[in-house]
Amino acid sequence: MRARGLALGLLLAVAILPGCGGGGDDSDGAPSGAPRGFYGVISAEPLPGSAELARLGRGEVGTLRVNLAWGAVQSGPDADYNWSHYDPVVGQAARNGIRVLATVYSSPAWAEPSPEYPPLGPRLPQFEAFARAAAQRYGSDGTFWKDNPDLPKVPIVDWQLWNEPNSLLFWKPTPDASAYLELLRGFGSAVRGADRGAQILLGGLFPTPTGGVPMDSFISDLYRGGGKGLFDAASLHPYAATPQKAIAFTEDLRRIMDHFGDADTGLWITEVAWASGGQSSGLTVGPARQADYLTQTFKLAAADRERLGLDGVVWYSLNDTPGPLWPGHCGLFNLDGTAKPSWNALVKLTGGAA
């Protein structure tokens, strides 16, 4: 297999609406033959509780992507780290055999003008310290596991830096590959220094962001700037009219990686979805087609995972959120917690129980 494979081992930020660790059972138990960790979902805030995570566990969902926000852990520049927001979800995910893929995105209000401004310049050392502390807590030899010996050890080893850094919605004042490389060097050094088994993922790239940098140009600029070797997997968010077009975007990214001599580096789809309702958009397709497109996407991705070096696919998102805009209607579950046809479609793929 050309990819590194799944490392043993959101996205909504705490503040705004956007768009795995190891040790879980990764046997080829799904009907597709893909490992359990291949099938993922992302959760918005509030993070899922024990009942929701138990349901995901019964459904054989293998990866939960969450946004690990610096500001939710450190309330001020001199404050101690407080991990109480994330400890419950990491622990309950482990109890249910679910890996956590941590997306480290957003700057606290005390560090930058708004969450979308990356912590560069004088704030970079503090950000590196936070990233190091996160890996020291939840990584392969993390203190969280030592402090909770009753839990199955399912450490976070997949660490994703930022969300859609080529999009003006998530990187301000304007997306810049060289600035992202600066953040990536610091982040990767900090996380890998704390956990030699850590896998560094690029922030999911949006193929054609309005006002941003196209995915093809951004990833090429990363390589030209010396980015090869700084990450263990690239990732993208191939929102598209159809599953076939989503996979075509994935093929585009793979082709560019291969062109720059990075054929052995892995690839993730860390967000993809269609909405079951909400205001009309190119991605609002209704409940039945949402389920059908989910099925097609995961089947196409699983069939091509070796050719593309594809380590996993994350559906956006777990639950609907209030409001009329389409991103709030991409969940597997309605606002009242009832399952949509898309949840049943996913469980059919994983071989789990609805």
Side-chain angles (χ1 to χ4, degrees):
M1 183 174 180
R2 68 187 297 172
R4 293 176 178 268
L6 282 166
L8 290 178
L10 77 141
L11 198 243
L12 295 179
V14 169
I16 61 177
L17 178 75
C20 3
D25 179 12
D26 231 6
S27 61
D28 291 352
S32 69
R36 177 177 173 181
F38 188 82
Y39 296 91
V41 298
I42 176 174
S43 173
E45 295 284 348
L47 296 175
S50 57
E52 290 174 292
L53 288 165
R55 192 173 195 179
L56 290 179
R58 292 191 298 272
E60 294 291 325
V61 173
T63 295
L64 177 69
R65 180 179 173 229
V66 299
N67 188 53
L68 186 63
W70 182 13
V73 174
Q74 191 175 25
S75 60
D78 300 315
D80 292 335
Y81 298 129
N82 181 343
W83 303 100
S84 60
H85 186 65
Y86 296 106
D87 281 356
V89 72
V90 173
Q92 289 300 320
R95 288 191 188 280
N96 289 283
I98 301 168
R99 308 167 178 213
V100 172
L101 189 160
T103 300
V104 181
Y105 164 73
S106 78
S107 294
W110 53 262
E112 297 293 342
S114 68
E116 309 89 355
Y117 281 82
L120 297 169
R123 292 300 186 189
L124 183 54
Q126 289 175 292
F127 177 70
E128 292 171 353
F130 163 68
R132 184 179 303 109
Q136 288 170 340
R137 181 162 187 81
Y138 298 122
S140 301
D141 196 34
T143 56
F144 177 78
W145 310 107
K146 295 176 182 177
D147 293 344
N148 296 277
D150 60 313
L151 288 173
K153 187 178 179 182
V154 188
I156 299 176
V157 295
D158 292 313
W159 300 88
Q160 183 174 40
L161 176 62
W162 222 252
N163 184 65
E164 298 183 15
N166 65 321
S167 170
L168 188 58
L169 288 174
F170 299 102
W171 186 286
K172 296 188 182 302
T174 185
D176 182 288
S178 62
Y180 183 77
L181 278 173
E182 181 184 354
L183 195 66
L184 179 63
R185 288 189 178 96
F187 177 80
S189 177
V191 172
R192 286 169 168 167
D195 183 357
R196 289 187 296 176
Q199 301 285 294
I200 305 300
L201 277 62
L202 293 183
L205 302 178
F206 191 80
T208 56
T210 301
V213 180
M215 176 184 73
D216 293 7
S217 297
F218 194 86
I219 189 71
S220 296
D221 288 344
L222 290 182
Y223 280 117
R224 294 189 184 105
K228 184 180 178 181
L230 295 179
F231 55 95
D232 300 290
S235 63
L236 75 160
H237 296 169
Y239 290 100
T242 66
Q244 291 74 20
K245 290 183 179 179
I247 297 301
F249 280 132
T250 309
E251 292 172 333
D252 288 344
L253 183 53
R254 179 79 266 170
R255 173 181 51 80
I256 295 170
M257 294 170 69
D258 291 355
H259 172 76
F260 283 97
D262 219 4
D264 290 332
T265 291
L267 182 59
W268 278 82
I269 294 174
T270 49
E271 278 185 32
V272 67
W274 289 265
S276 61
Q279 291 180 350
S280 179
S281 74
L283 295 173
T284 305
V285 297
R289 185 168 292 180
Q290 182 193 51
D292 178 53
Y293 277 9
L294 180 150
T295 298
Q296 289 189 50
T297 300
F298 276 99
K299 282 187 172 181
L300 288 168
D304 275 349
R305 65 191 182 96
E306 292 193 17
R307 180 176 67 87
L308 297 175
L310 190 57
D311 292 337
V313 178
V314 177
W315 181 264
Y316 178 90
S317 59
L318 177 57
N319 298 307
D320 280 359
T321 55
L325 298 180
W326 71 266
H329 296 265
C330 293
L332 301 171
F333 297 95
N334 294 298
L335 284 173
D336 63 3
T338 56
K340 298 183 187 179
S342 54
W343 167 247
N344 295 310
L346 180 59
V347 168
K348 186 175 180 180
L349 292 170
T350 64

